[in-house]
Amino acid sequence: MKFDKGNILKKVKYVAIAVAALAVISIFSTGMWYQIEEQEEAVVVTFGEAKTVSEKGLHFKIPLIQQVRKVNTTIQGFSIGYDTATNESVDEESVMITSDYNFINVDFFVEYRISDPVKYLYASGAPEDILKNISQSSIRTVIGSYDVDSVLTTGKAEIQAAIKAMILKKLEEQDIGLALVNITIQDSEPPTQEVMQAFKAVETAKQGKETALNNANKYRNEKIPAAKAQADEIIKDAEAQKQTRINEAEAQVARFKAMYEEYEKNPVVTKQRMFFEAMEDVLPELKVIIDDGSGVEKVLPLDSFADMAGVQVQQETEVETGGK
């Protein structure tokens, strides 16, 4: 049996071409697609021009022409002043000096996220390192403007706000595609145990002072309303007594005026009436006993006596006035 070498070589050539074509197609097909997951963004570079793709899902790219780099857009963070793995202090980062020339250990944690993937990848070589350097510089600047007592106790919130504002300003100037989310003081303490104990004693005293002030304010807030209520009650009673006295005085004045008008008309009768009215008030149970020496006693009630005296006074008045 004879073999045709030409046909065999031709078939081998076709097979090789087919295999090569399949290989090329396989390479191209596998490099034509990329997937963007949640909390990811991609940067597609075409002939040196970078473009951000943030839509999630499967995307097409031109093989060998377009390159794709993905970035994590979740909130990330790093520590300053301590090692997150071992939780041990890093003295070259944590030891600082305050405005009153005291040394202090302060630990921070910085949270950030990638805000612009293109700038993050191509504006600088190590954006995280730049952010850390900016944070350390801002921290030392702000800590150096506060006294040690503020850093340890009462000024932490104000210090954090000042540091955050300074970092945000410097990041805006650098424009490296990173955004600061937050920076917090994890811990602050003096560098030696003796100083630490002294500051703890000061803090305890301050807390005692605050407790005493709070208790005093509470007592004041409880007593002041009661005192005001009592004062209002006293004022109301005084006003009521004042009005009662005024009413009584006005009634007495009116009574006096009426009596004076009657007195001007009949002075004698008015005097007698006033006398008998006074006697009735002073001696309401008075009885008059007349003894003429004969042993016969006559008991006259005061009312009858008063009536008789009134009649007699009236008769005498009529005689004096001529029966008018």
Side-chain angles (χ1 to χ4, degrees), residues 172-186:
E172 185 178 357
E173 295 172 355
Q174 295 291 330
D175 197 18
I176 56 176
L178 291 180
L180 179 68
V181 176
N182 198 17
I183 181 168
T184 54
I185 297 177
Q186 299 297 301

Side-chain angles (χ1 to χ4, degrees), residues 73-104:
T73 58
T74 59
I75 295 176
Q76 304 174 66
F78 56 83
S79 62
I80 296 177
Y82 69 101
D83 188 345
T84 53
T86 61
N87 205 29
E88 293 182 356
S89 178
V90 181
D91 291 341
E92 58 268 23
E93 294 181 356
S94 64
V95 177
M96 306 177 194
I97 188 169
T98 60
S99 62
D100 51 356
Y101 304 104
N102 283 294
F103 288 97
I104 187 171

Side-chain angles (χ1 to χ4, degrees), residues 249-261:
E250 290 177 348
Q252 290 178 1
V253 170
R255 203 161 45 243
F256 177 79
K257 287 181 178 180
M259 187 179 296
Y260 183 72
E261 291 175 358

Side-chain angles (χ1 to χ4, degrees), residues 10 18 29 80 120 141-142 149 182 184 212 215 225 258 286 291 305:
K10 187 181 293 186
S29 63
I80 296 177
Y120 170 77
T141 301
V142 173
D149 190 50
N182 198 17
T184 54
N215 291 336
L286 178 66
D291 187 0
F305 177 75

